[in-house]
Amino acid sequence: MAGFEGCPGSKMQDLRSKEKEKGGVATAMPSQLAQWPIQLHLISPSAPYYQGADVLLTADCVAYAFGNFHNDYLKGKSIAIACPKLDEEQDVYEEKIKSWIEDARINTLTVLIMQVPCCMGLVELAKRAAASSKRKVPVKYVVVSIQGEILKEEWLST
Amino acid sequence: MDEYLNKGIKELIVEFPKTGDVLQRYNIGCVTCSVGTCLLKDIVGIHNLSPDDEESLMDELSEVFYPGREPAPKKAHRKTEFKRREIKYSPPINKLVDEHTLIKNFLALIPDIIRTVDINMEDGRQLIKDGVDFIRSYADRYHHAKEEDILFKYFDANLDIIKVMNEDHQKGRGYVKGILQGITVKDKRVIAEYLNGYRELLTEHIKKEDEILYPWMDQNLSTSQIGEMFGRFNETDGKFADTETKYRNFIKELSNKIQSPVQIPI
């Protein structure tokens, strides 16, 4: 049996490869970000770009790991980012998510997380907020590997 | 192979009757479809087969279409039993699947209804009328209306699979007319014939939707469309405020009445 190797979220991994050095698109890819700010502590859930929107709640690391983040997920959506492991005062986060659902009457919530176990905390936060909201919306979560692949994409029961 | 992948399923089964047997082995029940114009390539794509199963199916079909031709070298022979991938529905589609469960509970009661009902008694005729009310109000107006007026509108109305589903709904309405006719003339044989017809039709129809149509639709709807549809379903449910509770209670009471208890989902 393998011994304890420490927190998978902080474990050092070297992902460099020759193929990666060669890869990447030659043309500049335009940003799909359509708002500012984006950090969950800084945003106001009542901002106009959240009204009736498809909202993306993304763990901080996702946009770095997932190469096509802008085109595949951010395009057409409003966003907030957070880290369920390091951020403080997460009860405020729960209230803001609830406010998206009830006050901004968002259309859907998609939670994007990394595969590391601590990231699941962001999904749990969204689940709690959705469960305590009077209004219901479809909530989906997407798990991204540290190599940038989509490991799972699944709707949560409402 | 492309020439056959682009042909309608009915045409292929007529030309190569063994095609039907091969499809049945992979739980693809299109053989009995009355329309049969779906292209083979669409049928294979829509049935949610694992990559291994899809490869095996194509090998077997190739042997049917090109008898005697040297088969392509196989990567591995499929030894395990066919298993469909686990289906995870989006919230609005899941709502429709839940409604199917209650309809299936009613369908399961039909043989006992036919066995026990005395249509010469007012109570017996009322029981059949109550069943017709469930079909019309819950299965058709409440459930099928959401499909026809909302879900199907996100897709091309000319798609064969949508045509087949709408045709099933129409046939169901025809069976209901037959049941009512049986009540009017107090003929149990007529009632039984149309009730059984409805049961067979809806059993197959629900299976097609739960296992094939809905997963395919889920894959083809955007996140935004799922959210929009969820909202529209909630609006519709709001208009039929007590329908869900009323008919869940009805099935429970009907089950007790004919002494054939069924599990009613909460």
Side-chain angles (χ1 to χ4, degrees):
Chain A
M1 191 177 144
F4 179 64
E5 294 179 347
C7 168
S10 323
K11 189 182 161 194
M12 188 174 70
Q13 294 182 58
D14 191 341
L15 306 172
R16 288 177 295 180
S17 72
K18 292 279 179 207
E19 267 180 41
K20 279 187 179 172
E21 284 170 23
K22 279 185 266 173
V25 286
T27 54
M29 202 160 56
S31 169
Q32 297 295 337
L33 185 64
Q35 65 178 78
W36 192 263
I38 59 170
Q39 211 291 328
L40 190 48
H41 272 309
L42 301 180
I43 62 105
S44 163
S46 59
Y49 37 78
Y50 290 125
Q51 305 299 316
D54 293 301
V55 174
L56 210 56
L57 175 60
T58 307
D60 290 349
C61 305
V62 168
Y64 299 100
F66 184 41
N68 220 14
F69 172 75
H70 278 250
N71 277 340
D72 287 359
Y73 284 94
L74 183 55
K75 194 174 186 177
K77 296 192 181 74
S78 298
I79 188 174
I81 64 167
C83 175
K85 181 171 183 169
L86 302 175
D87 294 354
E88 292 180 346
E89 296 179 58
Q90 295 192 18
D91 49 333
V92 176
Y93 285 174
E94 198 174 319
E95 282 306 309
K96 286 194 174 185
I97 297 169
K98 199 174 160 187
S99 180
W100 274 337
I101 297 170
E102 290 184 348
D103 306 322
R105 302 185 67 80
I106 61 170
N107 189 43
T108 57
L109 177 64
T110 302
V111 186
L112 265 112
I113 59 167
M114 296 300 298
Q115 69 181 126
V116 293
C118 47
C119 239
M120 213 47 203
L122 199 59
V123 176
E124 293 304 321
L125 195 70
K127 268 191 202 174
R128 281 201 302 276
S132 64
S133 299
K134 289 186 199 97
R135 186 173 168 265
K136 299 296 168 202
V137 293
V139 180
K140 179 163 70 172
Y141 78 103
V142 182
V143 182
V144 180
S145 77
I146 56 170
Q147 285 88 4
E149 301 151 326
I150 301 298
L151 299 177
K152 193 176 194 178
E153 183 159 350
E154 199 169 292
W155 291 98
L156 297 172
S157 50
T158 50
Chain B
M1 190 70 175
D2 282 357
E3 60 180 312
Y4 296 118
L5 284 170
N6 287 304
K7 273 194 173 180
I9 190 64
K10 203 171 223 172
E11 193 185 346
L12 276 173
I13 289 172
V14 170
E15 195 176 344
F16 305 99
K18 282 183 181 169
T19 306
D21 301 334
V22 173
L23 294 176
Q24 294 278 27
R25 276 204 291 282
Y26 289 81
N27 283 359
I28 297 178
C30 301
V31 184
T32 54
C33 176
S34 55
V35 180
T37 51
C38 289
L39 304 181
L40 177 62
K41 67 175 181 186
D42 294 334
I43 286 168
V44 173
I46 213 171
H47 274 77
N48 203 25
L49 299 180
S50 70
D52 283 351
D53 283 322
E54 190 170 317
E55 190 186 331
S56 262
L57 168 67
M58 295 312 286
D59 285 346
E60 287 191 43
L61 287 175
S62 178
E63 283 165 26
V64 172
F65 301 148
Y66 305 103
R69 182 198 272 194
E70 191 70 27
K74 286 177 181 156
K75 286 178 197 162
H77 190 70
R78 185 168 65 92
K79 290 194 178 75
T80 52
E81 206 170 312
F82 169 82
K83 274 186 189 159
R84 202 176 287 279
R85 287 175 196 161
E86 190 192 358
I87 301 169
K88 295 271 185 181
Y89 303 104
S90 67
I93 297 285
N94 200 50
K95 170 91 177 82
L96 296 176
V97 174
D98 283 348
E99 289 168 9
H100 278 169
T101 306
L102 194 66
I103 298 168
K104 284 193 283 187
N105 284 334
F106 173 72
L107 299 178
L109 292 172
I110 287 177
D112 285 331
I113 294 173
I114 293 170
R115 185 175 49 80
T116 55
V117 75
D118 180 356
I119 57 108
N120 291 313
M121 302 289 287
E122 180 54 36
D123 278 1
R125 289 194 296 278
Q126 189 56 47
L127 189 132
I128 301 293
K129 284 179 193 167
D130 290 345
V132 166
D133 175 56
F134 172 82
I135 295 172
R136 283 186 157 170
S137 301
Y138 186 86
D140 207 18
R141 204 169 303 138
Y142 180 68
H143 174 76
H144 289 160
K146 270 190 287 222
E147 288 184 336
E148 291 179 5
D149 299 343
I150 303 173
L151 175 64
F152 291 177
K153 300 284 186 208
Y154 285 95
F155 297 87
D156 182 351
N158 292 316
L159 280 173
D160 289 315
I161 190 147
I162 302 282
K163 282 186 195 162
V164 171
M165 294 301 128
N166 280 325
E167 196 177 276
D168 281 354
H169 291 172
Q170 286 305 329
K171 273 188 203 161
R173 286 160 196 149
Y175 283 124
V176 170
K177 279 183 192 159
I179 298 164
L180 289 172
Q181 203 180 1
I183 299 173
T184 308
V185 296
K186 295 184 188 172
D187 188 335
K188 187 171 176 175
R189 192 188 51 81
V190 173
I191 294 171
E193 184 189 329
Y194 284 107
L195 263 177
N196 277 327
Y198 182 79
R199 179 171 176 256
E200 280 167 27
L201 174 81
L202 260 281
T203 302
E204 199 52 39
H205 177 79
I206 288 173
K207 188 174 157 61
K208 276 186 272 189
E209 289 191 329
D210 285 358
E211 295 180 4
I212 298 154
L213 182 68
Y214 288 171
W216 175 80
M217 286 179 154
D218 254 344
Q219 282 169 23
N220 285 282
L221 287 164
S222 69
T223 299
S224 186
Q225 286 173 321
I226 293 283
E228 184 188 86
M229 191 164 66
F230 185 77
R232 293 178 67 191
F233 278 10
N234 283 344
E235 274 172 33
T236 305
D237 287 350
K239 287 177 197 161
F240 292 88
D242 301 324
T243 302
E244 192 73 48
T245 315
K246 178 183 168 184
Y247 288 102
R248 278 185 193 280
N249 288 337
F250 165 71
I251 295 295
K252 206 182 282 183
E253 283 164 18
L254 180 64
S255 166
N256 291 334
K257 202 179 280 182
I258 60 171
Q259 295 180 326
S260 175
V262 290
Q263 291 290 321
I264 307 297
I266 299 161

